[in-house]
Amino acid sequence: MTKPSSYSINRRLTGLFDTDDISVEDQDLLEYGQDWTRFYKPDPSAVVFPRNAQQVRDLVELARKDHLGLVPSGGRTGMSGGACAIDKEIVVSFQKMNAIMEFDRDDATLTVEPGVVTANLQQRAWDEGLFYPVDFGSSGSSYIGGNIATNAGGIKVLRYGMTRNWVAGLKVVTGNGDLLELNGGLVKNNTGYDLRHLFVGSEGTLGFIVEATMKLTGQPLPASVVLLAVPNMSDCLKILQVFRKGLTLNAFEFFSDNAMEKVLSVSEFSRPIDTESPYYVLLEFERSDKTALERAEASFAKCLKQGLLVDGIIASSEQQNKQLWQYRERITESITSRTPYKNDIAVRPSQVPSFLRAIEQVTSRYFPEFEIVWFGHIGDGNLHLNILRPEDWDVSSFKTACDELNHHILDLVSTFKGSVSAEHGIGLLKKAYLPYTRSEREIDLLRNLKQVFDPDSIMNPGKLI
Ligand code: MLT
Ligand code: ZN
């Protein structure tokens, strides 16, 4: 890959973009050259802001000719370095391709440009009397293009699935410079390989999304949030079984008491329940009929009797629902200053109890000197294991130590046939760990696919494989 100077790249890009849509300013290179991952030093050669698909194609052509790397950039909320430009690449920010292009009531779809902020898509769907259900803490800043490229998950996967389930059509510019229109919003289309799904979760390594048609669904019924104090992490799944019987659950999350403490330390909040407990479960159930609340109370009483929980509350208003969600949603922000080493692991839900018991042993054996903050979407089998950097450690020695110790956790993930990245993607951070989840032969085939769509390796080079 060529590593051009900012001067020479600026000169070449001015033929394709207005000067307002190119930046080589230090501040922009720093800002647009990284996502939320804090282990990589951003070092792009320029940032461009295309306004349409043709400009993306022209840029790909230039990149092929001049051997330039291109890094796609959305809301930069990723956590695996998938949007980090560390080797003089050109960052392609979709910030200016942010139009909601079409709402189709009959198809119940919204067609959007990739730079639409997830929350704006959700809001537009709601204003039309429908619902876009994929949701997470960073919805207010992440872009739909990035959500698709990473197959984003979040807090409602238990009920609605991942982003993949909601993609009805895509337009992409591949590393060959082709503009492909994939599936075109069809509900039924059994005509061979569904290339649309190759691009979902491809992290921009095959091509860049320039338009997406997203499915919508009916608005949900009112819901109530329940927060439970749970002494043993491995009992979380037993609690899920009890509440799932007779209730429709929208979410089933958990977090540790030190996660709660971190949130308290960055907010004005007080503890929502008096009893302190090593873990908490936060669940949301739909009030599908008049007796749903009674069924939730009965589930609560049953778990209490079985010793699975020691205390808890059921929110009594929409405002209290929102307040309880804050204890879960603000965890990420509350630990950012400690440069957390984020593990985003998953096993099949049926394996969660035994996996949790095994992982607790591994972490107490190999990580006793590090503080670990647990949270995640435990109902999906997805745990976020965040190792916090001790305040007197520098970032690089901390990462090296975690990289070494992490093999013990990942061995376990492999034994349980789990995933080293449930929803954050592979990017740069998890690349070395891919073989714990995918076989050598599979990785070879992924490389072959990359070669088909991106023969010059210009699309998000160095990421994923
Ligand atoms: C979450 O579940 O809150 C997100 O995946 C973010 C994170 O892991 O920090
Ligand atoms: Zn998550």
Side-chain angles (χ1 to χ4, degrees):
M1 212 57 56
T2 313
K3 296 186 184 171
S5 68
S6 288
Y7 171 74
S8 94
I9 198 69
N10 201 6
R11 201 163 36 77
R12 279 179 274 176
L13 291 170
T14 41
L16 305 182
F17 295 90
D18 280 353
T19 46
D20 281 356
D21 298 338
I22 308 171
S23 178
V24 289
E25 297 294 327
D26 287 348
Q27 184 53 33
D28 286 338
L29 297 181
L30 189 68
E31 192 178 324
Y32 288 90
Q34 65 182 329
D35 55 20
W36 277 358
T37 324
R38 285 293 173 266
F39 294 122
Y40 306 103
K41 191 174 168 295
D43 189 22
S45 59
V47 188
V48 292
F49 301 89
R51 290 177 183 266
N52 55 55
Q54 188 55 50
Q55 276 185 318
V56 178
R57 293 184 81 180
D58 294 342
L59 179 64
V60 167
E61 204 173 298
L62 174 78
R64 291 191 76 182
K65 187 163 61 70
D66 289 2
H67 305 289
L68 305 168
L70 304 177
V71 175
S73 170
R76 303 186 302 284
T77 56
M79 293 176 168
S80 298
C84 289
I86 57 171
D87 202 15
K88 296 287 175 206
E89 304 92 332
I90 300 170
V91 174
V92 186
S93 166
F94 288 96
Q95 191 171 299
K96 294 184 181 174
M97 286 178 71
N98 62 359
I100 296 184
M101 299 163 71
E102 193 192 344
F103 167 64
D104 192 309
R105 186 167 299 284
D106 294 330
D107 290 341
T109 54
L110 271 172
T111 297
V112 297
E113 289 189 309
V116 169
V117 171
T118 315
N120 294 346
L121 172 71
Q122 293 167 335
Q123 187 60 49
R124 177 63 191 273
W126 193 265
D127 293 344
E128 299 290 357
L130 291 165
F131 184 50
Y132 179 69
V134 182
D135 195 19
F136 24 75
S138 61
S139 296
S141 40
S142 72
Y143 291 1
I144 191 67
N147 294 181
I148 298 168
T150 57
N151 187 23
I155 52 183
K156 301 271 168 79
V157 170
L158 184 75
R159 173 92 194 263
Y160 297 103
M162 309 272 283
T163 300
R164 179 184 302 285
N165 297 10
W166 300 92
V167 180
L170 284 183
K171 284 190 191 167
V172 297
V173 173
T174 71
N176 291 306
D178 295 326
L179 176 66
L180 301 181
E181 294 193 33
L182 305 172
N183 198 58
L186 294 173
V187 177
K188 301 184 86 169
N189 180 14
N190 273 353
T191 52
Y193 313 130
D194 192 338
L195 296 181
R196 157 188 52 158
H197 284 299
L198 261 189
F199 286 85
V200 180
S202 65
E203 302 187 21
T205 58
L206 305 177
F208 296 166
I209 295 155
V210 291
E211 192 182 296
T213 299
M214 306 305 292
K215 288 184 228 175
L216 308 176
T217 188
Q219 291 185 347
L221 295 169
S224 293
V225 173
V226 180
L227 186 71
L228 306 170
V230 179
N232 298 306
M233 184 156 63
S234 50
D235 284 339
C236 290
L237 261 276
K238 290 187 192 148
I239 297 172
L240 173 63
Q241 306 311 349
V242 174
F243 274 84
R244 191 142 69 177
K245 225 173 173 182
L247 288 169
T248 299
L249 298 184
N250 294 335
F252 191 90
E253 303 276 313
F254 94 114
F255 51 92
S256 52
D257 190 53
N258 60 348
M260 166 85 85
E261 270 170 14
K262 305 286 180 226
V263 171
L264 298 178
S265 75
V266 296
S267 65
E268 305 290 302
F269 306 160
S270 47
R271 279 188 176 269
I273 27 188
D274 294 336
T275 318
E276 284 184 31
S277 179
Y279 302 99
Y280 301 90
V281 158
L282 184 150
L283 66 91
E284 187 181 280
F285 68 93
E286 195 169 75
R287 292 203 308 277
S288 45
D289 57 49
K290 284 195 186 118
T291 60
L293 185 60
E294 282 164 30
R295 294 199 298 278
E297 284 164 354
S299 301
F300 181 92
K302 188 170 179 185
C303 291
L304 197 60
K305 197 165 163 213
Q306 290 179 7
L308 303 176
L309 53 88
V310 288
D311 200 353
I313 47 168
I314 302 181
S316 56
S317 65
E318 186 49 33
Q319 196 197 344
Q320 205 179 5
N321 280 346
K322 286 197 178 121
Q323 175 62 30
L324 289 181
W325 265 117
Q326 294 277 306
Y327 292 98
R328 165 64 182 90
E329 290 200 319
R330 292 191 64 180
I331 299 171
T332 300
E333 144 204 354
S334 74
I335 57 176
T336 304
S337 64
R338 300 283 297 278
T339 338
Y341 187 91
K342 288 181 156 299
N343 265 302
D344 166 39
I345 49 187
V347 293
R348 280 184 296 145
S350 61
Q351 300 295 303
V352 168
S354 33
F355 180 67
L356 287 181
R357 276 188 292 273
I359 210 154
E360 275 185 311
Q361 283 169 7
V362 164
T363 49
S364 57
R365 181 157 166 214
Y366 294 105
F367 293 79
E369 70 274 45
F370 290 138
E371 185 183 3
I372 294 183
V373 169
W374 289 96
F375 60 99
H377 321 283
I378 200 161
D380 312 325
N382 178 189
L383 313 174
H384 295 313
L385 186 165
N386 290 258
I387 308 164
L388 302 193
R389 178 176 56 83
E391 269 152 27
D392 53 347
W393 282 49
D394 67 72
V395 172
S396 133
S397 352
F398 172 63
K399 180 172 181 296
T400 309
C402 290
D403 281 345
E404 265 171 43
L405 286 170
N406 220 22
H407 289 286
H408 301 292
I409 290 177
L410 299 180
D411 275 338
L412 204 57
V413 171
S414 181
T415 307
F416 277 82
K417 299 197 183 315
S419 172
V420 299
S421 185
E423 57 171 9
H424 292 174
I426 294 294
L428 289 169
L429 192 64
K430 308 280 169 64
K431 197 170 139 176
Y433 302 139
L434 199 57
Y436 283 92
T437 293
R438 314 290 293 259
S439 71
E440 214 175 292
R441 184 67 191 126
E442 248 188 308
I443 295 172
D444 270 354
L445 291 170
L446 297 186
R447 288 210 179 90
N448 293 348
L449 278 173
K450 163 102 175 152
Q451 180 66 22
V452 169
F453 289 96
D454 179 26
D456 304 292
S457 295
I458 55 169
M459 305 306 262
N460 215 2
K463 313 291 165 41
L464 182 54
I465 42 170

